[in-house]
Amino acid sequence: MLVQYLKDTETFALQVERAIAVINTMLYLKTTSVVQEAVQFCVTVCEFSVANSVSGVRKMLPLVWSTDAAIKDAVVQAYKRLYLNPQGENIRMKAHTLVDSLSELMVDASLGTIQCLEEIVQEFFGSGSLLQSTVVQVLWERFTGKRETSGLRRRAAVLLLGMAARAEREVVLSNLDTLCSVALGEKVTEDFLLARDSVLTISSITDHIRQSKGAPFRLPQDHQLFTCLTQAIAEGVVMEDPHWQSFMEQAVRLLYFLAESPDQLCSRLLQRCARLLLDQIAEGGELNKDATQIQDVTQESNEPSEQVNCVCLAQLLALCGCVAFWQVSHLERSVSTELRRRRRETEEREEKEKGPSSKAKQQAANDSAMEEELGLMGASAEDTEAELIRKICETELLAEENLLCAFLPLLVRVCSSPGRYSHPQLTTASCLALSQYMMISPSVCEDNIRLMFTVLERSTLPVVRANAVIALGDLIVRFPNILEPWTQNLYARLSDEVPSVRQTAVTVLTQLVLKDVLKVKGQVSEVAVLLIDPEPHITSLALNFFNELASKDNAIYNLLPDIISRLSDPERGMSSEDFNTIMKQLFSYITKERQTESLVEKMCQRFRTAKTERQWCDLAVSLSLLSMCERGFKRLQECWECYSDKLTEPGVYQPLLSITAKLRRGAKALFKAQVDEFEKRLTAVHTRGLENVESPEMDEENQREGGPSDKTVNRTPAATKGRRGAKRGQAKASVSGRAEDSFMTPQRSRRSKKPVITFSSDEEEEDEDAVMAESETPKVTTPIARTSRRARLRN
């Protein structure tokens, strides 16, 4: 019995381990109760230390942002139960247990996981718990090395201190000297990762994290923090440390967030770094004759060519791009905010000094109220401030006396000559820096937009293409009119051969479309193709895109006809199975009866313009996937002429036949009779052809009279309800005096060509490669106007 008990216990434990992966997928279902139970399961298995249980705990963390209050509360309570209510003999032991648990969760955690964890940890430090001061003390001990711990644990400790500082600024502000001496001191070059995380922690005390309406919190330029940061950046620019760039990006960001006059600090920093690189070239120290060296392209004279280390040059260019980006951000956020604050203070001070009479005060109050209602208060002053910032960006940031201007020609030359400058890190850094320079002004963006799209389409490095997608997404937000003609080139990256590029492209386009930065057009069919992508993560991103798009009124309904046309295009070569999978998902979003009715008509009309049998079959399958209703069925009958001549194809006949089977279920007697009649009509045309079949009733009558079942009827098919005259496309029998004419096959009359029913997004878009020539720049075209519904019915 004992052996059997142990065997059963092992079997149960293994089943629970297998269940973890399944239940983790249930954390993001739409049913609240299912999600709550999945969260409870993850907590339970983690408490019993089941193998791989931490994966579920981490996966449920993003649910802390859920709009469902019940789900968010379940996640917060789960983390409190697991990590914020530690067991121990005294407060010190509890604090160590808590820190150990949180550190384990943060080791190797992604940036998104850390951001989610901040919400929970911040709530803990803001709750007034007795453990707070002891936990902070334990964290400082681990960071400073008073207690032996690994490098990962030290980094986790300093990040947790930053989360605590979000609730109480003094946790970090009172220990800035300690942070500078430990992480940013003389040994900073030995561990740039610890230095980067320390900078992130210091950033938590800035006004960009903590919303402040008063005077901005900044430190003087000569503060020890900025001395340490600039020294560390300058020393690292001539080193080949792989973690230096991530540290540099966070350090420059902190300079602009926390320093007084950060532009002066960064100007001196660029000069210092450039001088160090030039000194390295002059000394010729540790130069190798391999691919990590290139000729200095900035020298156009006849002097002997010099060599520069590619990695060091790449790091210098990355620094230039980062400074350019944060300088623009500083002007448009910090400077403009400070100008508005000072203007309001001046206005309030002037009003107090004037001291108007009671009647004047009443009149001023009335005028102020009216301006506020009209949205005009302060508009002119704010426009003046915005114009000032725009003028500075366009005329001063890249003026000849500005140091940033000196590096722009070098960036353009490296990006436009990938064959000559083929070092991966140099290419990556220069392309990213060029995109950051393009954020400065419309003129810089227009001058380099063709080059940027050339890099996007022709670069052999996936990381460069992915970076270009992200950069161009930012540029679309900043300069939408300049980037709008190039939208199709951005959508083309959804079919990139590298999964990481496709993933980046769908993520960027999802943000742009859902935030109404990009207009949704038929190009969204490229996103629909990702629903069958071999990479599960990309498939889930595409599915999330359409789930969010479905929340917008009629968005998917308006796109479906165009998506069907593009995906069924013979040139695409998509298999019928893949097409059916995509359409099944998209049609699941069509739930309104009026939308179904309208789609039936639109897709039936598309039978007229479809040219291949494959297109006919795809349209028929699409019709069968709709949740057909009585009104939709009536519209299907009215459009009989659009598809009746295609019914001889099994790929058209079978899907339409399946529609009748669905409609027959649970139908009333009268409607069921109509469905049966329609089914007989479909079968008759499929088996005998359109020309030789009048109606199912006539066929039954001929069989009762004893005539052969395949007897040819010399009468044209009966017209559908509401239709007059002969069948469209068939001529009436000619009346002639010659007897032999009665045995001739009636010829079809030549009628004027029917107008083609078009949609505004049906225009063929040429996905040409971006080139450097001006004549190749895409232009905005006027869309073809839609044909009105009345005109379609009349024709």
Side-chain angles (χ1 to χ4, degrees):
M1 290 179 63
L2 177 61
V3 171
Q4 185 61 40
Y5 169 76
L6 295 176
K7 287 183 178 179
D8 293 342
T9 303
E10 182 191 22
T11 303
F12 175 76
L14 292 175
Q15 290 293 341
V16 171
E17 289 182 15
R18 296 191 189 100
I20 290 176
V22 178
I23 296 180
N24 286 351
T25 61
M26 302 170 66
L27 288 168
Y28 291 90
L29 296 182
K30 296 181 180 180
T31 308
T32 303
S33 59
V34 173
V35 176
Q36 288 175 319
E37 292 186 11
V39 169
Q40 181 63 36
F41 174 84
C42 293
V43 172
T44 304
V45 296
C46 187
E47 287 179 333
F48 280 93
S49 301
V50 179
N52 202 31
S53 59
V54 178
S55 63
V57 175
R58 284 185 175 179
K59 190 170 184 180
M60 73 181 181
L61 191 53
L63 292 174
V64 75
W65 307 107
S66 175
T67 55
D68 190 329
I71 294 177
K72 179 178 180 179
D73 184 64
V75 175
V76 172
Q77 294 301 323
Y79 271 84
K80 284 184 176 180
R81 175 177 164 184
L82 288 174
Y83 299 108
L84 302 181
N85 291 320
Q87 302 297 322
E89 298 178 357
N90 51 48
I91 293 180
R92 182 80 178 176
M93 293 297 296
K94 290 181 179 180
H96 277 288
T97 303
L98 189 149
V99 171
D100 287 336
S101 300
L102 291 177
S103 298
E104 180 183 356
L105 194 63
M106 293 191 65
V107 170
D108 295 333
S110 64
L111 181 61
T113 300
I114 293 174
Q115 290 176 342
C116 296
L117 192 61
E118 284 177 354
E119 291 296 309
I120 297 172
V121 176
Q122 183 179 350
E123 183 177 342
F124 167 75
F125 281 102
S127 61
S129 172
L130 297 175
L131 279 174
Q132 286 184 20
S133 58
T134 309
V135 168
V136 170
Q137 183 180 354
V138 171
L139 289 174
W140 279 115
E141 289 175 359
R142 293 198 176 188
F143 170 70
T144 55
K146 289 183 179 180
R147 294 180 60 89
E148 289 295 331
T149 184
S150 64
L152 288 175
R153 300 282 177 172
R154 291 183 68 190
R155 288 170 49 202
V158 74
L159 287 174
L160 288 170
L161 286 170
M163 296 178 190
R166 287 174 174 266
E168 180 57 50
R169 176 186 283 176
E170 290 300 321
V171 171
V172 170
L173 188 58
S174 60
N175 293 278
L176 271 181
D177 294 343
T178 304
L179 280 167
C180 293
S181 60
V182 174
L184 304 175
E186 297 178 355
K187 298 182 178 181
V188 63
T189 56
E190 298 177 3
D191 193 351
F192 278 115
L193 284 178
L194 180 63
R196 181 199 65 187
D197 292 341
S198 300
V199 170
L200 285 171
T201 295
I202 299 172
S203 298
S204 62
I205 68 175
T206 63
D207 289 331
H208 289 76
I209 304 298
R210 314 163 63 87
Q211 299 298 326
S212 177
K213 296 183 180 179
F217 173 75
R218 290 185 177 270
L219 299 175
Q221 288 190 35
D222 57 353
H223 194 276
Q224 179 190 1
L225 171 64
F226 307 131
T227 304
C228 293
L229 287 178
T230 53
Q231 178 70 21
I233 294 174
E235 290 181 2
V237 78
V238 291
M239 298 173 59
E240 297 186 21
D241 193 296
H243 305 298
W244 174 87
Q245 185 166 340
S246 61
F247 160 73
M248 177 272 296
E249 291 171 355
Q250 296 300 329
V252 172
R253 173 175 174 267
L254 182 61
L255 289 175
Y256 277 98
F257 280 4
L258 204 55
E260 290 284 357
S261 303
D263 49 345
Q264 298 178 10
L265 273 175
C266 290
S267 176
R268 292 195 294 268
L269 176 61
L270 280 177
Q271 291 178 345
R272 183 176 179 182
C273 292
R275 176 55 56 189
L276 286 173
L277 189 60
L278 291 174
D279 291 343
Q280 185 189 63
I281 296 173
E283 294 173 1
E286 299 181 1
L287 293 179
N288 301 318
K289 297 180 179 180
D290 56 10
T292 62
Q293 299 175 356
I294 62 171
Q295 291 187 355
D296 185 4
V297 298
T298 60
Q299 302 294 331
E300 297 182 358
S301 63
N302 294 326
E303 298 176 0
S305 60
E306 297 176 333
Q307 300 286 330
V308 59
N309 186 284
C310 276
V311 175
C312 297
L313 179 59
Q315 294 179 160
L316 177 61
L317 295 181
L319 175 62
C320 294
C322 196
V323 170
F325 175 81
W326 285 111
Q327 180 64 40
V328 174
S329 177
H330 174 68
L331 287 171
E332 297 192 346
R333 295 179 62 182
S334 301
V335 174
S336 60
T337 301
E338 180 63 11
L339 288 175
R340 286 195 297 270
R341 187 188 68 82
R342 292 182 181 182
R343 174 171 52 80
R344 285 194 295 266
E345 287 185 351
T346 303
E347 291 173 354
E348 292 174 359
R349 186 168 56 253
E350 290 176 353
E351 288 179 0
K352 291 180 180 180
E353 292 174 354
K354 289 180 180 179
S357 62
S358 59
K359 184 179 292 186
K361 286 182 178 180
Q362 183 66 30
Q363 182 64 30
N366 294 338
D367 294 343
S368 177
M370 183 176 296
E371 288 181 356
E372 187 173 355
E373 288 183 5
L374 297 175
L376 300 176
M377 181 175 290
S380 58
E382 290 183 2
D383 290 343
T384 303
E385 293 161 2
E387 181 64 22
L388 173 63
I389 299 298
R390 186 191 64 80
K391 185 177 180 181
I392 292 174
C393 290
E394 292 187 359
T395 60
E396 296 186 19
L397 288 189
L398 292 179
E400 292 184 1
E401 61 273 12
N402 197 317
L403 191 60
L404 287 175
C405 179
F407 294 94
L408 183 57
L410 177 59
L411 289 172
V412 173
R413 186 161 184 178
V414 173
C415 292
S416 58
S417 305
R420 185 173 184 180
Y421 311 106
S422 57
H423 190 274
Q425 189 171 343
L426 178 61
T427 303
T428 304
S430 58
C431 293
L432 189 57
L434 178 62
S435 68
Q436 292 170 325
Y437 266 74
M438 292 168 65
M439 297 286 287
I440 294 177
S441 69
S443 58
V444 180
C445 183
E446 288 180 342
D447 292 343
N448 298 283
I449 189 65
R450 290 192 303 277
L451 173 58
M452 202 65 199
F453 274 98
T454 303
V455 170
L456 173 67
E457 298 189 359
R458 298 181 181 178
S459 176
T460 58
L461 299 174
V463 64
V464 172
R465 299 200 299 272
N467 286 346
V469 169
I470 298 172
L472 290 168
D474 292 338
L475 287 170
I476 287 177
V477 177
R478 184 163 176 78
F479 306 120
N481 294 332
I482 298 176
L483 273 293
E484 196 276 335
W486 297 88
T487 303
Q488 60 184 2
N489 302 73
L490 200 58
Y491 274 99
R493 289 304 95 206
L494 292 171
S495 56
D496 196 282
E497 63 274 11
V498 179
S500 61
V501 181
R502 296 200 303 272
Q503 177 181 334
T504 303
V506 70
T507 303
V508 170
L509 288 170
T510 297
Q511 295 296 320
L512 295 176
V513 170
L514 296 182
K515 292 182 179 179
D516 297 323
V517 178
L518 280 182
K519 294 181 180 179
V520 186
K521 297 182 179 179
Q523 297 152 329
V524 177
S525 61
E526 299 299 329
V527 184
V529 175
L530 296 182
L531 290 170
I532 55 172
D533 195 272
E535 297 292 330
H537 186 60
I538 297 177
T539 302
S540 65
L541 289 174
L543 184 61
N544 177 68
F545 170 82
F546 285 106
N547 288 338
E548 296 294 330
L549 191 63
S551 62
K552 295 179 178 289
D553 293 338
N554 301 330
I556 294 182
Y557 158 75
N558 293 331
L559 292 169
L560 270 173
D562 304 321
I563 292 176
I564 294 172
S565 295
R566 290 169 182 265
L567 296 185
S568 62
D569 190 341
E571 295 183 0
R572 178 177 287 275
M574 177 177 289
S575 66
S576 57
E577 292 78 8
D578 291 342
F579 179 85
N580 295 349
T581 303
I582 295 173
M583 288 299 108
K584 186 175 181 180
Q585 178 62 41
L586 295 182
F587 277 113
S588 66
Y589 301 111
I590 305 300
T591 55
K592 298 180 181 178
E593 189 173 338
R594 293 183 61 183
Q595 291 180 345
T596 301
E597 179 187 1
S598 179
L599 280 174
V600 169
E601 180 185 3
K602 288 182 179 181
M603 285 189 286
C604 287
Q605 296 293 345
R606 295 253 171 167
F607 275 104
R608 297 182 183 275
T609 57
K611 299 178 182 179
T612 64
E613 296 177 1
R614 168 63 192 280
Q615 289 175 312
W616 303 343
C617 297
D618 288 343
L619 287 170
V621 169
S622 300
L623 283 171
S624 69
L625 292 174
L626 280 170
S627 300
M628 195 72 70
C629 53
E630 291 190 20
R631 292 170 58 178
F633 176 67
K634 182 179 179 182
R635 192 56 55 90
L636 185 65
Q637 289 178 304
E638 293 174 356
C639 297
W640 170 264
E641 295 176 355
C642 298
Y643 57 83
S644 57
D645 57 334
K646 317 288 193 306
L647 288 173
T648 53
E649 293 293 331
V652 178
Y653 168 68
Q654 291 296 338
L656 294 179
L657 196 64
S658 68
I659 294 177
T660 61
K662 294 178 183 178
L663 291 171
R664 194 179 290 109
R665 299 170 189 166
K668 297 180 180 179
L670 181 59
F671 182 63
K672 187 175 182 180
Q674 296 177 2
V675 174
D676 292 340
E677 180 183 350
F678 181 72
E679 181 178 344
K680 291 178 181 178
R681 194 175 181 189
L682 288 175
T683 304
V685 174
H686 174 66
T687 55
R688 299 173 198 175
L690 184 64
E691 301 294 336
N692 297 327
V693 176
E694 180 175 0
S695 67
E697 292 81 357
M698 179 61 68
D699 185 63
E700 294 176 2
E701 182 180 350
N702 290 337
Q703 292 181 0
R704 287 197 299 270
E705 292 176 357
S709 59
D710 57 347
K711 180 178 179 180
T712 301
V713 182
N714 290 326
R715 287 162 52 184
T716 57
T720 57
K721 184 178 180 180
R723 200 182 85 207
R724 300 179 181 178
K727 186 174 184 63
R728 188 172 298 178
Q730 294 179 344
K732 296 180 179 179
S734 60
V735 181
S736 176
R738 291 180 296 180
E740 61 270 22
D741 288 351
S742 60
F743 297 97
M744 295 177 61
T745 303
Q747 297 184 1
R748 300 182 184 272
S749 60
R750 295 184 179 179
R751 295 192 178 186
S752 58
K753 188 176 181 181
K754 299 183 180 66
V756 178
I757 297 175
T758 61
F759 296 87
S760 61
S761 53
D762 278 344
E763 306 170 39
E764 296 182 359
E765 301 176 359
E766 300 179 357
D767 295 333
E768 296 183 355
D769 292 338
V771 295
M772 298 298 297
E774 178 69 25
S775 61
E776 295 292 336
T777 305
K779 306 295 182 183
V780 180
T781 57
T782 304
I784 300 175
R786 289 181 181 269
T787 306
S788 67
R789 183 173 181 270
R790 182 177 298 175
R792 294 202 304 271
L793 294 177
R794 183 171 63 250
N795 291 318

